[in-house]
């Protein structure tokens, strides 16, 4: 079975940033999945689950209400490893082109007075939210993005090296 694209990223070397995870061609253009990585995998503590849930609600609401981007947003949701989020947009922009959007989204968390949709009617686990921790993580990531805006490493995935045998078989180091 072929290794899927998201597992070809060398998680030992990835840093927080905004990365292009995959591009898919569709009938009328492209759909792009971005890896919005807040934590270094396997090196930093993961994001608190309740805070992650709150970030998901607040930022999804921000993105789907942004006057410029709302019609481009397909999905915003957490990674299973709790180190970041996936954003799926229509089109095929490089990660640098969504920098301001992501920075604005994380800055907006600090202005939230409540978690949107955190009711039994609107959410599958409405009691599992932590607005104050979500604000802390959002401030931390926004500051990191601002400090590293000119560093190309926050926009480029480190790839897993592939060893190839003489007969063409590939082995992955992860």
């Amino acid at each position: 079975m072929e290794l899927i694209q998201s597992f070809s990223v060398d998680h030992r070397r990835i840093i927080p940033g905004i990365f292009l995870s995959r591009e898919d061609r569709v009938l009328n253009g492209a759909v792009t999945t971005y890896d919005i990585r807040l934590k270094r995998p396997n090196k930093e503590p993961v994001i608190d689950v309740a805070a992650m849930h709150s970030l998901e609600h607040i930022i999804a609401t921000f993105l789907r209400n942004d006057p410029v981007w709302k019609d481009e947003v397909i999905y915003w949701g957490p990674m299973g490893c709790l180190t970041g989020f996936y954003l799926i947009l229509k089109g095929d922009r490089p990660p640098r082109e969504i920098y301001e959007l992501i920075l604005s989204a994380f800055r907006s968390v600090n202005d939230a007075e409540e978690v949107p949709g955190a009711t039994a009617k609107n959410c599958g686990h409405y009691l599992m939210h932590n607005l104050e921790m979500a604000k802390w993580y959002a401030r931390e990531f926004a500051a990191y993005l601002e400090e590293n805006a000119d560093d190309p490493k926050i926009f480029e995935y480190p790839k897993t090296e592939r060893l190839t045998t003489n007969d063409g078989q590939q082995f992955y180091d992860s």
Side-chain angles (χ1 to χ4, degrees):
M1 210 181 293
E2 190 173 323
L3 193 64
I4 64 172
Q5 192 168 348
S6 63
F7 295 150
S8 71
V9 177
D10 190 339
H11 285 73
R12 298 167 303 177
R13 295 180 18 221
I14 196 165
I15 61 171
I18 303 168
F19 306 104
L20 192 150
S21 180
R22 64 179 288 154
E23 287 180 329
D24 294 293
R25 295 286 155 205
V26 292
L27 187 58
N28 295 322
V31 172
T32 304
T33 303
Y34 299 92
D35 172 335
I36 311 303
R37 189 72 61 148
L38 280 67
K39 297 292 179 181
R40 288 179 58 124
N42 306 307
K43 293 192 189 250
E44 293 183 77
V46 298
I47 302 166
D48 171 78
V49 176
M52 187 84 159
H53 192 199
S54 296
L55 287 168
E56 174 192 12
H57 278 235
I58 296 165
I59 294 176
T61 301
F62 174 88
L63 293 171
R64 290 194 170 97
N65 283 281
D66 184 271
V68 174
W69 291 93
K70 67 182 180 181
D71 294 331
E72 304 301 310
V73 176
I74 295 171
Y75 174 79
W76 170 263
M79 293 178 178
C81 62
L82 303 175
T83 62
F85 293 87
Y86 288 113
L87 171 62
I88 303 175
L89 296 174
K90 295 175 187 172
D92 59 355
R93 299 162 197 86
R96 230 179 251 284
E97 285 187 25
I98 66 165
Y99 171 85
E100 288 296 332
L101 173 66
I102 299 303
L103 182 59
S104 296
F106 277 88
R107 283 180 179 158
S108 79
V109 175
N110 211 42
D111 298 331
E113 295 179 14
E114 62 183 26
V115 178
T119 67
K121 179 180 177 183
N122 303 120
C123 178
H125 197 347
Y126 77 100
L127 295 175
M128 188 186 69
H129 284 282
N130 188 330
L131 179 57
E132 291 310 310
M133 282 300 298
K135 288 181 177 189
W136 184 86
Y137 285 111
R139 282 191 304 269
E140 178 187 55
F141 188 58
Y144 173 86
L145 288 177
E146 290 169 337
E147 291 167 14
N148 293 281
D150 295 326
D151 185 349
K153 287 186 246 169
I154 73 164
F155 300 106
E156 298 169 8
Y157 253 158
K159 294 291 183 185
T160 300
E161 291 184 32
R162 296 182 182 109
L163 304 174
T164 305
T165 63
N166 289 339
D167 65 354
Q169 188 173 1
Q170 291 188 341
F171 292 91
Y172 294 84
D173 68 353
S174 62

